[in-house]
Structures are given as structure tokens and as C-alpha cells.
Amino acid sequence: MIRTRTNFRAGLLHAALLLALAAAGACAPRIELPRHDEASSNLAAFRARFDAPQPEGGGVAVRASLLYSTPSKANRTDVQLFGDYARPLRLDVRAGLGTMLALMREDQSGLLAFYPNDKRAYAHSDPIIGAQLLGLPFPFALRDLALVISGRFGTLVQGDPVRVRAIPGGGFAYSYDSGPVRLLVVDQYGRPERMEGVLSQHFKAQVERDGLPVSGPRVWGLAFSGYPEDEGDPIGPAKTLTLTLPKGDSAVLRVKSVTPRAEPWAAKALALTLPANAEFISLERHAAPAQVREIITGGGNDEHTKPGPAAGS
């Protein structure tokens, strides 16, 4: 009996120790980064961490969840983005229960997208125009998305800013006259906080796809949050990307894992072979394909109607 009690007490002490260690890990102090009160040092810190270094390895594998919202509905999907930074890249989109919604491949010849439920495939020689015609929530190429998720902004933030202004609370906003990004907001630690750009005429918000007239600025915004050092982890890219689009559309990408690859992917792993019965549609001459009504926003069992504004709008 004494030995049993001793073992029981030892077990309790062991459990208490594990709980204490877990609590200590969960409450790890924030890693304090150097603050930059001058625009020049702030921009230099951004470039040193998010622009100049090359991504580790030749490729990447990303797992994330995507919540896409319109003024009337919201959908969560699971996404896998994988391939080589130099292309090809693949994007698989699944509903919450695992049903495949879309398979895409971006390479030097453009974008190919296949939707199994409709047995339709779409292609465009320009991956950015193709993505916007298809209504993909991120208004740039898959390569740009893979790089931004990995913490590399060089393909989107180009050249030197033409205007700079200080942000209340610390940080600076840099404006650009050309390039995909026209406004970059960097916090006082040199980390991207938000960036904005102009949508092309090819992108259509969901209300436009529903045939309703719209007006106003065609601007997209992408905010970054969840930097790992805020939780005491090693420095890395933001874990949450929140995209805002015209007319109440928005998308929240929550990154679960980013795995760099030292070696390029095997060609077979990045192939996208269409079934024999697939209908092929070229997007080259389409202002907006009438067949594409809801791509990422459609998700079967994950779909639910929302009476109020879209989340994040």
C-alpha cells in the first residue's frame, strides 16, 4: 500500500511538472525586436528580412485554411500549395470534409485549373490574368503567393518608394507609383503590416459575377498578423494573411505549416493530367467566363448563409 501511494504521488508530481512546462511554453515572452524610428532604417530592416534573403531551398510545401466571405455567405476550404519557387507550382483546394474542389498548376506556359465537380478545365497563358478571370481571391500569381507566405516580398514590392509618411504608434507607410503593390505599411520592427494594390479589369467581385452593377475604387488590401516572435518563437513569416476586396468580399488565409525543400520537386508530383472527359475552355478571349460563378466560395457542406456583412470586411 505504501509503495502504491508513493507511485501515485510520483505520478502526480510528474503530471504537475509536465503541466508547468506546458504552461511556461504557452506563456513564452514576446521576442523584442529592434525598433526603427527612422524611415530609412525601417525600410532597410524590411528589406533585410523580407526582401533580400533568398528562400531556403528550391521549393516549398504549404498547408493552410482559407475562409472566403462575400456579403451573403462564407466558406472555409483547406488548401495545399506546393512546388518550386521557379515554377511549376500546384494548388489543391478541398472542402472541409475532404472533397476536392479545384486543382491548379502554374508554370512558364501559364495557369491550368481543373474543377472535378464540373469536369471543366480552364487555361490562360498569363497566370495573373487567368487567376483573376477565375475569381481566385488573391490578385496575383501562385508564385507570388508562395513567396509571400514564405516571407519574401521581392516580386510584389518593386523599386524605391516615392512617398513616405509616419504611422501613428510607430512604423511607416511607403507609396509606389508602379508595380503590383502601391502602398506598403511596415511596423516599427520592420515587418509588413499591410499592403495595397490596384485590381485589373479582369477581376470580378462576387456581386459582379451575380450580374449586379458596381462602382467605386478597385483596390485590394492584404494585412499580415500572427508573427511567431509575438509568441516567443523563432523569427518567421506571418501566419495569418487577411485579404479585403471590393464590395465586401474578403479572404483569411491561416497558414498551418510552411516546409521548405532543398531539392526541386519531381516532375510527376507537380503534374496535372486532365481526365479524358474533361471540357477544356481557353480564357484568352474571355472578359469573364460565364461558366465560372463561384470557385473558391462554393464548398458544398461547408457553405452557410450569413445575413450580415462578410467577416473581415
Side-chain angles (χ1 to χ4, degrees), residues 4-202:
T4 301
R5 290 177 179 174
T6 301
N7 291 339
F8 179 71
R9 290 171 181 167
L12 286 177
L13 289 173
H14 180 68
L17 179 60
L18 290 177
L19 288 173
L21 290 173
C27 302
R30 172 192 174 105
I31 296 176
E32 287 297 333
L33 300 175
R35 299 172 186 249
H36 302 278
D37 297 326
E38 299 293 333
S40 58
S41 62
N42 181 265
L43 186 60
F46 161 77
R47 286 174 170 167
R49 178 175 172 186
F50 296 99
D51 190 9
Q54 293 297 313
E56 180 183 351
V60 69
V62 176
R63 291 182 177 271
S65 66
L66 178 68
L67 177 64
Y68 190 97
S69 301
T70 72
S72 61
K73 65 183 66 176
N75 255 98
R76 192 191 71 83
T77 55
D78 294 322
V79 299
Q80 289 180 266
L81 176 61
F82 57 98
D84 299 328
Y85 289 115
R87 300 188 180 106
L89 281 160
R90 282 285 314 276
L91 177 69
D92 292 351
V93 183
R94 290 180 172 84
L97 297 180
T99 303
M100 185 66 73
L101 299 179
L103 301 97
M104 304 180 189
R105 187 179 194 268
E106 179 181 298
D107 58 21
Q108 302 300 332
S109 63
L111 179 69
L112 174 65
F114 176 62
Y115 301 95
N117 289 342
D118 298 330
K119 294 184 173 58
R120 285 197 183 111
Y122 301 88
H124 199 287
S125 58
D126 187 315
I128 300 177
I129 295 177
Q132 293 186 343
L133 287 175
L134 291 172
L136 299 187
F138 289 91
F140 33 73
L142 295 183
R143 178 173 181 261
D144 299 322
L145 180 60
L147 286 167
V148 166
I149 291 175
S150 302
R152 303 296 182 263
F153 290 71
T155 60
L156 293 177
V157 180
Q158 300 175 0
D160 294 321
V162 294
R163 290 175 297 279
V164 179
R165 61 183 174 88
I167 299 298
F172 295 87
Y174 303 93
S175 298
Y176 300 82
D177 281 344
S178 61
V181 171
R182 300 302 176 89
L183 178 69
L184 172 67
V185 179
V186 180
D187 69 11
Q188 59 189 331
Y189 306 107
R191 305 178 304 185
E193 195 171 86
R194 189 176 80 257
M195 61 187 187
E196 297 178 2
V198 179
L199 286 170
S200 77
Q201 73 275 16
H202 303 292

Side-chain angles (χ1 to χ4, degrees), residues 195-263:
M195 61 187 187
E196 297 178 2
V198 179
L199 286 170
S200 77
Q201 73 275 16
H202 303 292
F203 181 86
K204 303 296 181 184
Q206 188 59 50
V207 292
E208 295 175 280
R209 292 178 178 275
D210 291 339
L212 300 176
V214 296
S215 61
R218 299 179 57 77
V219 175
W220 59 266
L222 186 60
F224 303 90
S225 59
Y227 283 100
E229 59 263 32
D230 292 342
E231 301 174 358
D233 293 334
I235 291 175
K239 297 178 181 178
T240 302
L241 287 67
T242 302
L243 179 76
T244 53
L245 294 165
K247 308 310 170 188
D249 289 14
S250 67
V252 180
L253 185 73
R254 301 187 186 280
V255 179
K256 300 177 181 178
S257 64
V258 180
T259 306
R261 288 175 60 93
E263 299 295 330

